[in-house]
Amino acid sequence: MRRRRESRQRRGAGRASRPVGRGRVRLAVLGTAALALGGTAAVPGAPASAAPGAAAHCDFTEQKDVGTKMRDGTVLRSNVFTPKGGGDHPVILMRLPYNKERAEDIFYDRPTRYASACYVVVVQDVRGQYKSDGDFYPYRSEGTDGYDTIEWAARLPHSNGKVGMYGFSYPGLTQWMPATMRPPHLVTIIPAFTSSDYYDGWTYEGGAMYQSFTQSWPLSSLANSSVRKYPDGAKLDAEMNKAGQQLFSKWYWSLPLKKFPPLYPKDERVAPYYYDWIKHPSNDDYWRRWSIRTRYPQVTVPSFNFGGWYDIFLDGTAENFAGMRAKGGSPAARQGSTLMLGPWTHGGHGSRAGALDFGPDAAVDVDALQLRWFDHWLKGAENGVEKDPAVKVFVMGANKWRTANAWPIPGTVNTKYYLNSEGSANTITGDGTLSTAPPSGRREPDRYRYDPDNPVPSFGGRFQQSVPGGPQDQRLIEQRPDVLVYSTPALEKDTEVTGPISVTLYASSSARDTDFTAKLTDVAEDGTSMLIQYGIQRARYRDSLEHPSLIKPGKVYKYTIKIWPTGNVFKAGHRLRLEISSSNFPMYDRNPNTGKEFGSDRHTRVADQTIYHDAEHPSSIELPIQPTPIG
């Protein structure tokens, strides 16, 4: 989410997903131009009519800290870029808590590029951040403040009244929330790397808390930027910066979660929202007031949804697209919304992610993409946007783009692979296998011990503070005895897995509450086990995210672990692999196995876990197989 820590992560393992940014070779500002994708002709599936045309160009002026009153009198401040000369122009708006002077320039070009393309550009600090007045509390005011800002921007000098929005991560949220309120002058949005729900898939997943994200995000940006206005703000800022450098070595291990010292639990000026998140571990009214997934019929504008396979908000990005296509509040919203997913971590659009380089076709110019979209929806340019396929996803392994008219992709064959072993699937050298043949008769279950004081470490995957992101080799993790490993034989042919994934697990535990995790990897012929995707399920939330219920020690329960979508060709000679365990730390908080109130535990207990895979308990992973792999 936030610039400083996130860019530091990206310089390490995240260098793989670093955007083609400030130092890149600039493309000409193209009014109706299509972007080039890795040297290909245009957007995947774009018609020939989308070829570059005459470039639009405007000189412009810039005004700093332009104030506007919200409906409650609070003044928010914006930088406004206005084309010179006569005539009126559409408005492009970004609202962010990360300093309007930066305008998320780790991902996008500067606002001047959009102003040069003859748009009025507005970049605003949200309430309580940087130059804007008021108190910052995530989500709470973004709907009404966004609505008021859109309508104000539509009346600016040289505005023609048409407003589009862009931004990634939290600035994706600042688009969706006002869009649900139908501001009259909002025409389109481009929410990138953002979610559909701020409980499920933003703060929690499967009932487990995104510990790395929920603690590092306020600590490295939201809280320390908002406290600087206080008399002791410099001291608080310095202390939080120091704590941020000790997250992995010290603070992630701190218990209880509800008294996390670096965010000053007794000082309500700093980050009261973090402690509210801990107080609301279920999907209750606190969260439902902000959910997007329940409000698609209220959104009447088309959306361009941009995300990555290794993004922390991937599932919500895909859900927003599918939800708008099915339930959007106007024909334009339903028919005009599109989805693009690449092999990227949070805020990436280059060719590298994690340990892999996916080739030149993976790199896109996001600014050219956006200008082409805005030119169509805000200027009426006939540049082929309306003829583009609705879905464009990058299929790793083949390293090519696949297009479709819906998500999940029509024609997908959901195929179950069943877990098998003789009771010794522990570690990479165990006897665990995956087979499309259902188990028969009785089979010895697999067992392992989950110790929260020695959790399975996170390595690769979605954005996390202090942890390398993207695809990473999991072989060291697969040597742990608390990790069960199930693999197919070497594949006889290329097998494409593109779409959502689900694991059905029959399991018992000695604890009253615990977690079960699942991880899919692609095993190459040299043994490299590259992380593809993963998920988690907290036992007390096995039936409902709204109404938790503890389990009975020793009783077998059926768990459904949602593994987020992917797009990957497992090449002939490779193997599909599934890992089962009970922790992925610090991505998710450690379940202390006590069954006590969430966030209150000071101590943990060891849990003995049993995984069943017999005729009565057919544990499996269901994979979205494409009948004809892209090649």
Side-chain angles (χ1 to χ4, degrees):
M1 290 284 289
R2 172 56 178 154
R3 326 280 68 99
R4 177 172 33 186
R5 300 283 190 249
E6 181 182 286
S7 59
R8 182 177 299 147
Q9 180 221 20
R10 201 175 276 121
R11 286 196 298 270
R15 189 179 298 275
S17 62
R18 191 181 67 182
V20 184
R22 299 296 302 148
R24 67 174 177 244
V25 177
R26 304 291 188 194
L27 298 185
V29 178
L30 304 177
T32 60
L35 85 158
L37 274 172
T40 56
V43 179
S49 62
H57 179 81
C58 286
D59 294 326
F60 56 89
T61 61
E62 179 181 359
Q63 294 174 280
K64 294 275 192 178
D65 301 330
V66 179
T68 182
K69 284 187 179 181
M70 300 295 99
R71 62 189 63 186
D72 65 351
T74 301
V75 175
L76 307 189
R77 294 179 176 84
S78 308
N79 291 345
V80 179
F81 303 78
T82 306
K84 293 181 179 179
D88 294 332
H89 307 277
V91 178
I92 298 177
L93 168 65
M94 176 192 288
R95 303 185 62 253
L96 74 166
Y98 306 130
N99 191 351
K100 67 182 185 302
E101 302 302 326
R102 297 295 306 275
E104 295 200 302
D105 62 2
I106 64 166
F107 183 60
Y108 303 108
D109 205 339
R110 299 294 297 164
T112 53
R113 178 168 180 178
Y114 296 87
S116 296
C118 302
Y119 288 93
V120 178
V121 182
V122 178
V123 185
Q124 183 182 77
D125 291 327
V126 302
R127 178 182 297 248
Q129 292 288 355
Y130 294 91
K131 294 295 184 67
S132 288
D133 296 346
D135 295 319
F136 178 77
Y137 190 102
Y139 329 132
R140 185 169 60 192
S141 302
E142 305 306 355
T144 53
D145 285 355
Y147 184 109
D148 294 349
T149 300
I150 290 164
E151 294 306 297
W152 164 76
R155 299 189 299 270
L156 285 170
H158 298 289
S159 165
N160 69 3
K162 295 182 178 181
V163 179
M165 297 184 74
Y166 77 106
F168 86 95
S169 203
Y170 193 94
L173 173 157
T174 65
Q175 299 172 63
W176 279 114
M177 294 192 75
T180 66
M181 301 176 68
R182 301 187 180 188
H185 291 91
L186 182 65
V187 175
T188 188
I189 58 176
I190 308 182
F193 298 99
T194 198
S195 193
S196 58
D197 190 89
Y198 307 115
Y199 167 76
D200 178 31
W202 183 286
T203 309
Y204 292 85
E205 180 186 340
M209 188 180 80
Y210 279 160
Q211 182 176 347
S212 176
F213 171 63
T214 55
Q215 291 182 341
S216 67
W217 182 36
L219 190 62
S220 63
S221 65
L222 301 183
N224 62 359
S225 58
S226 64
V227 301
R228 292 170 190 157
K229 60 187 176 184
Y230 300 126
D232 56 345
K235 174 177 175 292
L236 292 171
D237 186 15
E239 290 174 352
M240 283 188 277
N241 286 334
K242 181 178 179 180
Q245 297 169 8
Q246 301 173 311
L247 277 170
F248 196 79
S249 62
K250 179 179 181 180
W251 293 118
Y252 284 147
W253 303 88
S254 176
L255 294 175
L257 293 174
K258 69 178 183 180
K259 294 185 178 181
F260 185 58
L263 290 177
Y264 303 88
K266 295 182 180 180
D267 189 341
E268 293 187 356
R269 301 174 304 163
V270 178
Y273 41 86
Y274 168 79
Y275 300 99
D276 288 341
W277 300 341
I278 298 293
K279 292 175 185 176
H280 296 274
S282 301
N283 192 15
D284 57 16
D285 288 341
Y286 173 84
W287 300 104
R288 283 193 285 267
R289 57 185 161 163
W290 298 313
S291 179
I292 303 302
R293 61 164 55 124
T294 61
R295 294 175 169 84
Y296 296 131
Q298 298 170 218
V299 180
T300 58
V301 299
S303 58
F304 176 9
N305 300 274
F306 187 95
W309 295 131
Y310 295 98
D311 178 42
I312 193 172
F313 306 133
L314 160 67
D315 196 55
T317 299
E319 183 183 18
N320 281 335
F321 163 76
M324 288 303 299
R325 296 287 289 197
K327 303 176 182 178
S330 72
R334 292 189 297 274
Q335 299 165 18
S337 291
T338 63
L339 174 68
M340 179 179 242
L341 298 174
W344 309 306
T345 55
H346 194 64
H349 54 87
S351 63
R352 291 193 58 87
L356 297 180
D357 189 325
F358 293 100
D361 284 358
V364 304
D365 186 328
V366 69
D367 299 295
L369 268 173
Q370 294 195 147
L371 280 169
R372 181 172 179 262
W373 181 269
F374 285 138
D375 282 352
H376 175 75
W377 289 106
L378 298 179
K379 293 183 177 180
E382 295 183 3
N383 56 11
V385 164
E386 72 283 0
K387 299 178 182 178
D388 286 349
V391 174
K392 312 173 192 74
V393 295
F394 190 87
V395 182
M396 301 177 292
N399 293 348
K400 294 183 178 180
W401 291 91
R402 176 183 281 280
T403 62
N405 59 12
W407 182 263
I409 294 173
T412 298
V413 179
N414 291 315
T415 305
K416 288 186 177 182
Y417 287 75
Y418 295 92
L419 282 61
N420 294 282
S421 81
E422 297 301 324
S424 300
N426 310 72
T427 79
I428 196 173
T429 60
D431 63 1
T433 62
L434 289 175
S435 171
T436 55
S440 60
R442 298 181 60 118
R443 304 295 293 270
E444 186 68 19
D446 289 304
R447 298 177 174 86
Y448 63 93
R449 174 163 286 192
Y450 160 48
D451 181 357
D453 291 336
N454 182 26
V456 176
S458 303
F459 183 52
R462 308 171 205 156
F463 170 78
Q464 303 156 67
Q465 185 67 31
S466 309
V467 178
Q472 301 286 351
D473 189 355
Q474 302 298 297
R475 282 180 289 181
L476 284 176
I477 290 173
E478 292 166 356
Q479 295 178 23
R480 293 175 57 106
D482 56 352
V483 177
L484 305 180
V485 179
Y486 303 90
S487 307
T488 65
L491 298 172
E492 296 181 357
K493 60 181 181 179
D494 289 0
T495 302
E496 181 183 342
V497 175
T498 299
I501 302 165
S502 178
V503 168
T504 298
L505 205 65
Y506 293 88
S508 65
S509 175
S510 64
R512 300 180 66 228
D513 187 37
T514 194
D515 291 343
F516 292 102
T517 62
K519 183 189 299 177
L520 177 67
T521 73
D522 183 345
V523 183
E525 292 175 275
D526 65 0
T528 303
S529 182
M530 200 61 68
L531 175 61
I532 299 298
Q533 196 52 274
Y534 53 80
I536 191 170
Q537 182 60 52
R538 183 145 292 176
R540 70 172 70 188
Y541 291 104
R542 66 197 178 279
D543 296 323
S544 168
L545 294 176
E546 291 79 21
H547 306 290
S549 60
L550 298 177
I551 59 176
K552 294 181 180 179
K555 182 178 177 179
V556 181
Y557 293 89
K558 179 182 178 180
Y559 298 93
T560 300
I561 305 175
K562 180 179 181 179
I563 295 183
W564 284 10
T566 193
N568 187 74
V569 169
F570 295 78
K571 305 294 285 185
H574 287 215
R575 289 176 288 160
L576 292 152
R577 175 168 290 167
L578 175 66
E579 298 175 21
I580 298 295
S581 191
S582 289
S583 51
N584 183 346
F585 174 80
M587 174 68 196
Y588 307 106
D589 73 289
R590 298 167 292 157
N591 195 316
N593 298 324
T594 65
K596 294 181 180 179
E597 177 187 3
F598 177 71
S600 65
D601 285 280
R602 296 178 178 275
H603 304 286
T604 66
R605 296 177 183 174
V606 173
D608 292 310
Q609 319 287 55
T610 305
I611 307 300
Y612 300 84
H613 43 73
D614 52 36
E616 187 179 355
H617 309 100
S619 295
S620 65
I621 179 171
E622 185 170 276
L623 298 174
I625 305 297
Q626 299 305 313
T628 303
I630 194 168

